[in-house]
Amino acid sequence: MRLVDGRIRLSASEYSNLLSCRHLTRLEIAAAHGLVGEPYIKDLGFEALVKRGEEHEKQVLEQFRDGGWAVEEITDPFEDFERAVTETESALADGASVIYQAALAQEGRLGYPDFLVRINALLRVSVGAGSPAAPAS
């Protein structure tokens, strides 16, 4: 959740959180305004899930790179989303096949896809192996 030009900007996950826990959303809004610290809930199961997700993400990134994909990486998209959105738009315009940690924004909505893959760059889909296909030349 980000406060930009006096307006709250929500990601898809934060919209989901709003539906599941309005109290958490109120805390996050107060934190975005600097009224309270970021809410922190220690959940070992969640932390383990996050760790497994990060490990999987690194494996997929390596597979893209090892497969010859042109991967453009956006650094720290959560720290400076306006810069990250600009870099994502530039990477798209430059024809990047894969954008890792992309940042998208439109009409107050935010999106942070781990991998943004250009459809016309796909040559084949690897069935069963779970590895990214080679890029089109």
Side-chain angles (χ1 to χ4, degrees):
M1 184 174 301
R2 301 276 184 250
L3 185 64
V4 179
D5 297 328
R7 294 182 60 204
I8 294 291
R9 301 190 83 166
L10 300 172
S11 69
S13 297
E14 289 158 341
Y15 278 111
S16 177
N17 290 346
L18 172 65
L19 295 174
S20 64
C21 182
R22 291 178 187 221
H23 177 68
L24 177 59
T25 301
R26 286 187 197 101
L27 288 174
E28 289 175 341
I29 289 171
H33 285 283
L35 302 174
V36 298
E38 287 283 326
Y40 177 76
I41 301 166
K42 182 135 179 105
D43 181 339
L44 296 177
F46 179 74
E47 290 175 12
L49 183 64
V50 168
K51 183 179 177 185
R52 284 195 342 243
E54 289 171 348
E55 290 169 358
H56 173 72
E57 198 174 291
K58 287 178 187 176
Q59 290 173 349
V60 172
L61 180 59
E62 284 178 28
Q63 289 174 342
F64 276 123
R65 288 184 171 145
D66 292 347
W69 289 82
V71 178
E72 202 55 49
E73 186 169 346
I74 309 299
T75 57
D76 299 320
F78 299 102
E79 298 304 315
D80 183 355
F81 86 91
E82 289 176 347
R83 175 201 44 81
V85 167
T86 300
E87 288 180 9
T88 299
E89 290 170 348
S90 294
L92 286 168
D94 293 343
S97 297
V98 177
I99 304 171
Y100 175 59
Q101 298 297 330
L104 305 170
Q106 184 177 16
E107 297 176 6
R109 293 183 210 96
L110 303 177
Y112 294 104
D114 294 323
F115 296 95
L116 200 56
V117 181
R118 185 176 295 276
I119 294 296
N120 64 355
L122 294 175
L123 178 63
R124 66 181 187 281
V125 176
S126 184
V127 178
S131 61
S137 48

